[in-house]
Amino acid sequence: MEIPYTVEPRPDTGVYNAKLGIWLFLASEVMLFGALFSSYVLLRVGATTWPHGYEHLNIPLATVNTVVLITSSVTMVMSWASLAMKDIRKYRVYMGSTVALACVFLVIKGFEYAAKFEHGLYPSGSTFLAIYFTLTGLHGLHIIGGIIVNCYLLGPGTRMWKTDPARFTNRVEVAGLYWHFVDLVWIFLFPVLYLL
Amino acid sequence: MSLKAFHLLFVTASVVLAFGFAAWAFEAYSSRGEGGTLLLALLSLLFGAGLVVYGVRVRTKLKGMGIQ
């Protein structure tokens, strides 16, 4: 039996099923990160003193990481556009670049964490550090999730391109929507944690 | 919302961040006098301007490819 609405939009929702699914998932993610951002605001407003992020955190490293993530979103869209142009070779180059940039982000984040631990700065050290490690750690887990999905779409998942190219293109679009959400979370995290 | 629309929204947010960061770095330079922050501010301004150009071009290009 064929699964309906994997390519063409459902008449009642106006989108194909995977896209509806990812938006419902992203809505739950908004609630998850929204709750943590709200906790951050409440903790900060309620605190008598609160350190400025730039006094404890490495701004140049975080800036490089921001540029890396923005670039990875560009390569993600390019990989999807390459499939729309039926160019699987370009798709592989762009998707490979997206995965590589995500790994660069995690390596830089690892250096940042290592520097904190070397200076004895652990989540238990202060409320600021606790919320910093919670938010960036959860974001890092989402990056790892994106790497796993993108690696699948770059490797074994590519087989679908031969049998059902339109559906495969839609899968890449859905992965791209998730990737953009994760990057958008960082666009909020960076100023909130590092600059304010 | 398609990936194209979400990408344009993301680029817009990135442009706001780039110019906002440039303003923060300029302020940090004027109040604390750190030379590195001035460089960061200038690079951020350039990056933001580059993103504006990219956003306009990618919108036109994806439209030309028939991607909604």
Side-chain angles (χ1 to χ4, degrees), chain B residues 6-34:
Chain B
F6 200 23
H7 184 63
L8 292 174
L9 177 77
F10 175 78
V11 170
T12 306
S14 302
V15 168
V16 172
L17 175 69
F19 290 139
F21 179 67
W24 175 88
F26 271 125
E27 199 278 326
Y29 172 70
S30 58
S31 61
R32 296 198 293 274
E34 296 162 6

Side-chain angles (χ1 to χ4, degrees), chain A residues 92-169:
Chain A
R92 286 201 173 99
V93 171
Y94 284 124
M95 187 57 103
S97 307
T98 307
V99 172
L101 287 165
C103 292
V104 168
F105 177 88
L106 286 181
V107 168
I108 293 175
K109 202 78 214 148
F111 278 118
E112 245 191 291
Y113 274 18
K116 296 284 159 297
F117 297 150
E118 266 178 32
H119 291 95
L121 300 172
Y122 295 99
S124 56
S126 70
T127 312
F128 169 75
L129 287 171
I131 201 90
Y132 163 78
F133 280 110
T134 304
L135 277 166
T136 56
L138 185 66
H139 179 261
L141 285 175
H142 280 76
I143 294 280
I144 292 170
I147 289 173
I148 292 168
V149 170
N150 288 345
C151 279
Y152 173 76
L153 291 172
L154 187 60
T158 319
R159 281 198 293 265
M160 186 182 269
W161 176 252
K162 289 174 185 159
T163 56
D164 197 348
R167 191 175 170 193
F168 181 66
T169 305

Side-chain angles (χ1 to χ4, degrees), chain A residues 19 23 54 63 66 70 73-74 77 80-81 84-85 173 176-177 180-181 183-184 187 191 195, chain B residues 1-4 6-7 9-10 13-14 17 21 24 32 40 47 51 54 58 62 65 67-68:
Chain A
K19 193 185 272 189
W23 277 114
Y54 56 80
T63 308
T66 305
I70 291 172
S73 282
V74 171
V77 164
W80 173 61
M85 290 189 296
E173 183 182 18
L177 286 168
H180 274 67
F181 172 80
D183 292 354
L184 195 60
I187 296 291
L195 307 182
Chain B
M1 185 188 275
S2 68
L3 180 57
K4 178 193 164 188
F6 200 23
H7 184 63
L9 177 77
F10 175 78
S14 302
L17 175 69
F21 179 67
W24 175 88
R32 296 198 293 274
L40 276 179
F47 188 67
L51 276 175
Y54 164 78
V58 80
L62 291 178
M65 286 164 56
I67 295 174
Q68 294 306 311

